[in-house]
Amino acid sequence: MSSIMPTYNRLPLSFVRGHGAWLYEANDTAYLDALTGIAVTGLGHCHPAVSRAIADQASQLVHCSNIYHIPVQEALAERLCAVAGMNSVFFCNSGAEANEAAIKLARLYGHQQGIESPAIIVLEHAFHGRTLAALTATGNATIQVGFGPLVPGFVRIPVNNIDALDEAIQKHPNIVAVLAEPVQGEGGVRRLEDAFAKALRDRCTTHNLLLMFDEVQSGNGRTGSYFAYQQLGFEPDVVTTAKGLGNGMPIGACLAKNAAAKVLSAGNHGSTYGGNPLACAAANAVVNTIEEQALAARAPIIRSLILDSMLSALRNPNPIEAITGQGLMIGLAMPDACPEIVTLAVKNQLLLNVTSSKVIRLLPALTLSDDEAVLIGERLAATIDHYTQRDAG
Ligand SMILES: Cc1ncc(COP(=O)(O)O)c(C=O)c1O
């Protein structure tokens, strides 16, 4: 029996090294990685600029705490705020922690305006993490079971329903913010409809609420711009990110603009590790690489290469009901629950996953070559064909 708590259903695979789009077992079998550690290694495994930054920083200073000024953290803050169009940032260690910071910021914003019991609007099918407040904000009852009492102060509405949004704001005068993923990831790889996203911005502005986007999964170049909201034509008041920000080094960030940037002050929030020199050195290398090489622009190109190669290799009729998502958040909605797809893909030496039980999800790297993108499409088609044949036979 393993000494590790059994919180994960693991595949019978283990990797000892990675390079670019490839992961290798100890016997050197190579797998094409279309999942990138769940949207984390967006620059590919062991990107040389990131590995060099980590090695250099590790030989200088790994940790000193936020009791002191950390120049590499300040450099990252400045760069990230400039890229995001935000004014200030709080650094932490994960996506859930970034959302906890946003939730605390929103509550304090409410209290500062005399709202005793502030509440936040969240969406059905949302995923915001596994800590208690983030879990409560998450719209998936299955993963909340057994962890009650959950945290009060959340009002849930259906996705893309502007009437429900207006009704919630009218019914709950204590609403202080809306928290939403511009492209839902775990909940089925779905973009918010433009009209709904715009309504979120309009209502937040009109009612003095904070619009908080969770870009933990969609950020860092993945959807075709550094943050997905940059294609919507407006900014949120708060944006959270993590995953791709460190390319594997644990780091999270909660960025804020205008009034929201001034809510938290000394003693309000903190993290021992948050923004430590090692994590910030890695993240600086990530942000600089994405920006200098204009990698976000590759996302729609790679998406088309993968999907075109898959569609031309798939036998017809194929079972895919819808192709969803944006850039390198790719969802293939299947007619029924299809957990077997994951192990069939492994047989084709392709790594992907299935979310919301029937959506095949690909989150490949922004650094894929054209040939690697085409190969992912071919292996994906072979996997889906195997799955369809299995069903038939
Ligand atoms: C949109 C979103 N928010 C938050 C999280 C939680 O991030 P972490 O696992 O780093 O806490 C995830 C993780 O999948 C996510 O996709």
Side-chain angles (χ1 to χ4, degrees):
M1 189 191 137
S2 168
S3 309
I4 298 171
M5 287 191 192
T7 59
Y8 304 101
N9 279 318
R10 297 176 198 265
L11 291 171
L13 276 176
S14 79
F15 301 109
V16 294
R17 67 191 172 86
H19 181 72
W22 299 88
L23 279 171
Y24 298 86
E25 288 186 293
N27 66 7
D28 255 1
T29 308
Y31 290 80
L32 191 46
D33 187 4
L35 192 60
T36 62
I38 323 182
V40 169
T41 53
L43 299 185
H45 295 283
C46 300
H47 187 280
V50 182
S51 296
R52 205 176 316 117
I54 292 171
D56 288 350
Q57 187 62 49
S59 68
Q60 295 294 313
L61 179 67
V62 171
H63 180 80
C64 58
S65 94
N66 288 300
I67 290 174
Y68 312 103
H69 289 274
I70 302 175
V72 62
Q73 185 188 107
E74 280 160 22
L76 176 63
E78 210 168 297
R79 190 80 211 256
L80 205 51
C81 283
V83 166
M86 295 281 136
N87 301 132
S88 68
V89 53
F90 173 83
F91 288 113
C92 50
N93 311 287
S94 67
E97 278 184 52
N99 287 330
E100 290 285 333
I103 291 163
K104 284 182 70 176
L105 189 157
R107 283 186 167 196
L108 189 57
Y109 172 78
H111 282 285
Q112 287 169 352
Q113 293 169 60
I115 296 173
E116 291 275 306
S117 184
I120 299 172
I121 292 180
V122 288
L123 301 184
E124 285 178 0
H125 311 295
F127 185 85
H128 297 297
R130 302 283 195 150
T131 55
L132 268 178
L135 182 69
T136 308
T138 290
N140 176 352
T142 321
I143 63 170
Q144 294 171 335
V145 168
F147 297 108
L150 294 174
V151 176
F154 292 93
V155 173
R156 193 170 312 283
I157 62 167
V159 183
N160 296 330
N161 188 329
I162 298 174
D163 290 342
L165 171 68
D166 287 335
E167 208 176 295
I169 293 171
Q170 213 170 19
K171 192 166 156 203
H172 303 276
N174 59 335
I175 298 287
V176 293
V178 177
L179 174 64
E181 299 152 86
V183 187
Q184 292 191 324
E186 307 302 304
V189 197
R190 276 182 291 211
R191 271 184 88 233
L192 296 185
E193 284 171 8
D194 286 350
F196 182 70
K198 190 171 174 307
L200 292 180
R201 179 64 278 174
D202 288 350
R203 302 315 190 263
C204 284
T205 304
T206 306
H207 298 280
N208 202 21
L209 317 175
L210 298 180
L211 176 58
M212 310 200 295
F213 275 155
D214 175 345
E215 295 231 26
V216 168
Q217 191 165 144
S218 58
N220 307 294
R222 183 155 291 282
T223 67
S225 44
Y226 196 92
F227 287 110
Y229 64 75
Q230 288 165 325
Q231 293 168 71
L232 288 170
F234 61 78
E235 283 158 353
D237 302 292
V238 173
V239 59
T240 59
T241 194
K243 289 190 182 272
L245 179 58
N247 211 54
M249 185 61 75
I251 182 166
C254 171
L255 297 103
K257 191 175 171 73
N258 297 338
K262 300 192 185 99
V263 171
L264 293 170
S265 57
N268 282 154
H269 196 41
S271 163
T272 299
Y273 288 132
N276 91 356
L278 192 62
C280 288
N284 268 315
V286 169
V287 181
N288 289 336
T289 304
I290 292 174
E291 289 299 285
E292 281 158 18
Q293 299 182 13
L295 284 177
R298 282 284 291 163
I301 298 167
I302 297 171
R303 178 186 179 93
S304 298
L305 286 167
I306 292 175
L307 292 175
D308 290 352
S309 115
M310 175 195 77
L311 290 169
S312 62
L314 263 180
R315 256 184 242 143
N316 275 319
N318 76 60
I320 299 167
E321 289 192 332
I323 298 176
T324 63
Q326 187 173 352
L328 293 181
M329 289 180 79
I330 303 175
L332 306 174
M334 300 289 278
D336 303 295
C338 56
E340 318 90 289
I341 287 276
V342 175
T343 39
L344 288 173
V346 166
K347 287 190 183 142
N348 287 298
Q349 286 162 248
L350 175 67
L351 304 174
L352 46 70
N353 85 346
V354 170
T355 191
S356 288
S357 81
K358 57 177 197 172
V359 180
I360 302 173
R361 179 170 57 161
L362 284 86
L363 300 162
L366 300 163
T367 49
L368 287 183
S369 68
D370 289 5
D371 288 348
E372 287 165 338
V374 168
L375 193 57
I376 288 179
E378 288 167 359
R379 290 189 182 184
L380 186 55
T383 302
I384 294 171
D385 282 343
H386 288 171
Y387 173 76
T388 315
Q389 276 174 316
R390 245 171 67 116
D391 261 11

